[in-house]
Amino acid sequence: MILKFKKIILACLAVAAFLISVFLPQTAAAHGERATEPSIRTRSIHWYDLTWSTEKIAVNDTVTMQGKFRLMNDWPDAVAQPSLVFLSTGGPSAVLTRVETYINGLPAQQSFKKMELGRDYDFKIVMKGRVPGNWHLHPVMNVHNAGPIIGPGAWVTVEGNMADFKAPIKTMQGLQIDDTENYGVARAQMWQAGYALVAVAWLLWWLRRPLLISRWRVLQKGREDLLVTRADDKVAAGVVVLLLVVVIVGYIKINAEFPQLVPLQGSTVYTEPLPEDTGGVAIKLKRAEYDVPGRSMRLSVEMTNNTDQPLGIGEFTTANLRFINKMLPTAVAAIDPKYPKELMPANGLVVDSNKPLAPGEKRMVMLDTTDVAWEVERLVSFLSNVDSRTGGLIFFYDPLGKRYISEVSGSILPVFKKTI
Amino acid sequence: MTVNDQAVLDVAEMSPKIAKWSRTLDALIVIVAAFLIMSVSHIGFLLLAGDWDFFIDWKDRQYWVVITPVVTIMMAAAFQSIFWKLFRLPIGATASVLLFLLSVWIVRYHSWEGLAYFPLSLVVPATCLVGAILLDAILVLTRSWLVTGAVGGVLFGLIFLPSNWVYIAPYFQPVENMGQMTSLADWIGYTYPRAGTPEYIRIIERGTLRTFQDSAMWVSAFFSGFICVFMYVAFWWLGSVACSIKYVPVGIKMKEAFGSNNAAKKVAA
């Protein structure tokens, strides 16, 4: 009976161990995009016009992610300014490999310096499928001393077999390297195994003898001569000579084999921002509130149309969420049908009057963005932020479909009933 | 058993039976000590050197060459001190670096490649094993920790570069990437992205050790050897302290507090 009980317990433990080993070490699907403080997500970098070339690729196929980003003028004081940045991707390590990255058409292998607030840049990232799976692909701007600021993500499915992955490269001397994942590893292991062989022989030379207690007692009795002998001296001298000869010869040979080498490249790059929009719409945020029970952000904004065309309010984008004014067909038509639906709240942007802003007109406009997305995306913790401010971009469209972008930012009040 | 081994047992006053049990104890302690040395050496290195030896695109001509041996010699010297002072065993440095290298490869395969999908070419480790063996051998030849520190310390720092360059050099072949010349190491680091390690976080090729044109690596190697001498001495001393028994003098009041100083109580009465 007891034996049976023991067997049942052992079987349970085995099953538990199996389940834990299978299900516990899972790759993280999310990577902290909702963990960043709302003040950073609403007022630092706004990504827009993002496209992903495809939702599904095979191993070795590429997916291109491109778009633009605006560095907000009202950059949070608590966050280091983007004086040094590196464009990358968010996601679980090297499941997709990086083929090309560009900012304003310049290669972005290295970091970029002196980015300008209030200006726009475009970017392009080409990634290649390596590990089969369903991966969330974001653009990420790493800001020195501030950390990663993550952009909108879309799911990309990689199909196939990881063993088929290839990332070949040809050196400038013409050496073709097909397996870059393991290049040089066997050479390193061979040399290190050689060193380790000498080390193991050295350890065995000493460990084969009577060891701890006996040596300690002999040492206490002052008979050190028995512990380190003339034979040990000869072995030690032999080891020194052997290693020096091997290393010096190896060093000379490797330099002869690879005479042209280059150091790591660590320069930084500067690029002018994209040409600035002149005119457009001047914005003054008069009051902003977040209705906590209603899950609604409302902005009371004074807008002045400085263009010679009537402008409709098409979109409010903040923290990677796009609130679209569905009453403006131009704004709806501007949406890429493949854009991630979860980043476009269903209720969209509600404007108190959809009458276009006439050229030169100054008007108070109420923008209402009511959606559960504020909670889902964890954007309501600005109630506890060090600076309770919010911000975003407002997109305007003229009758010909030309777009104007204005920044909006200012203090925000948490309220529990509607006041504006 | 050699004549010398028998002489050791005789001086230690060990009968064959006791010697046999002593040998069993040796085996047990060596196994336990191996894990201890491995983990202490590994943790010490991770805390102080970390990225410079994680990634191939961090192995620059200045900081990698300086920092890796300077950090590695710390635990090597401490363990050498312990084994030498207690048992006259010149194996501490070799054991520390060998076991560290073993654990590094386990982690590279299991965690970096197995769990995180990083290719091994991105995370090829370097090793100070040659320097460590030389350090132990010089201790045997000189029987002096001070001379070992002065000669072996310099050699430890100096030999790191050539003993690793024999397999790291191919990673510095020039390749073209997006119209720019770059090293293969840079290209590997760029191609296999690390979400949490932006390019600018690398600290490479900064400072003034570059004044000898293309000889920056050897200038760094000599500087490393210089610093290794001081690190060796400091951590030899630390190892000596770690294997010494010290008693803290306790006053009468402390003894009274714990009720162990009956004599003091009687005097007080």
Side-chain angles (χ1 to χ4, degrees), chain A residues 11-274:
Chain A
C12 289
L13 286 173
V15 170
F18 174 75
L19 292 175
I20 288 170
S21 64
V22 169
F23 293 109
L24 201 61
Q26 292 180 351
T27 305
H31 15 271
E33 62 261 45
R34 291 175 184 167
T36 311
E37 288 175 310
S39 62
I40 297 176
R41 292 156 70 193
T42 58
R43 289 170 42 223
S44 58
I45 300 180
H46 286 299
W47 307 79
Y48 61 96
D49 289 353
L50 255 68
T51 59
W52 290 261
S53 62
T54 178
E55 296 167 345
K56 191 179 283 186
I57 55 173
V59 168
N60 290 320
D61 285 351
T62 58
V63 52
T64 301
M65 175 172 55
Q66 56 190 333
K68 294 188 177 75
F69 60 89
R70 162 76 62 97
L71 304 176
M72 287 280 282
N73 273 309
D74 191 23
W75 191 273
D77 291 335
V79 180
Q81 295 208 352
S83 54
L84 188 63
V85 302
F86 180 66
L87 176 68
S88 187
T89 53
S93 81
V95 294
L96 298 152
T97 59
R98 200 157 31 204
V99 182
E100 292 174 349
T101 48
Y102 299 94
I103 294 179
N104 285 358
L106 292 177
Q109 178 180 318
Q110 278 120 11
S111 303
F112 277 65
K113 59 189 170 189
K114 298 178 182 171
M115 308 294 274
E116 294 179 35
L117 295 186
R119 302 298 294 273
D120 299 85
Y121 298 82
D122 69 25
F123 75 94
K124 179 181 173 186
I125 299 174
V126 182
M127 304 292 286
K128 184 196 266 192
R130 177 170 176 247
V131 179
N134 201 21
W135 311 116
H136 213 200
L137 183 60
H138 301 255
V140 170
M141 189 60 77
N142 293 280
V143 179
H144 192 223
N145 292 330
I149 297 175
I150 200 160
W155 290 99
V156 174
T157 303
V158 179
E159 294 178 327
N161 189 349
M162 187 181 169
D164 297 331
F165 176 76
K166 294 274 184 291
I169 188 149
K170 195 174 201 174
T171 69
M172 291 174 73
Q173 287 105 341
L175 176 67
Q176 178 70 27
I177 302 170
D178 291 323
D179 183 8
T180 50
E181 294 191 27
N182 294 294
Y183 178 71
V185 176
R187 185 194 289 258
Q189 288 175 332
M190 186 199 75
W191 275 95
Q192 292 185 355
Y195 298 154
L197 205 63
V198 179
V200 169
W202 176 259
L203 292 179
L204 289 177
W205 174 257
W206 295 96
L207 294 178
R208 68 192 168 86
R209 310 175 194 184
L211 269 183
L212 304 174
I213 296 175
S214 46
R215 290 183 74 93
W216 185 78
R217 285 174 65 88
V218 170
L219 196 59
Q220 296 301 308
K221 293 186 177 182
R223 292 298 307 277
E224 191 177 342
D225 58 303
L226 291 174
L227 301 180
V228 185
T229 65
R230 293 290 297 162
D232 296 328
D233 288 341
K234 288 175 186 167
V235 169
V239 165
V240 170
V241 172
L242 171 73
L243 287 177
L244 289 178
V245 168
V246 166
V247 169
I248 290 168
V249 170
Y251 183 75
I252 292 169
K253 286 189 74 168
I254 199 76
N255 282 335
E257 189 179 347
F258 298 99
Q260 295 294 329
L261 299 176
V262 292
L264 294 177
Q265 302 295 299
S267 62
T268 52
V269 183
Y270 172 76
T271 178
E272 290 282 340
L274 295 176

Side-chain angles (χ1 to χ4, degrees), chain A residues 274-314:
Chain A
L274 295 176
E276 197 168 13
D277 270 344
T278 51
V281 180
I283 296 282
K284 278 186 188 169
L285 180 63
K286 294 295 186 180
R287 183 178 174 89
E289 63 180 34
Y290 180 70
D291 181 350
V292 177
R295 294 168 170 172
S296 175
M297 183 189 278
R298 290 185 286 271
L299 308 175
S300 177
V301 185
E302 181 187 278
M303 300 178 176
T304 307
N305 182 356
N306 295 322
T307 71
D308 57 0
Q309 294 288 325
L311 297 178
I313 302 167

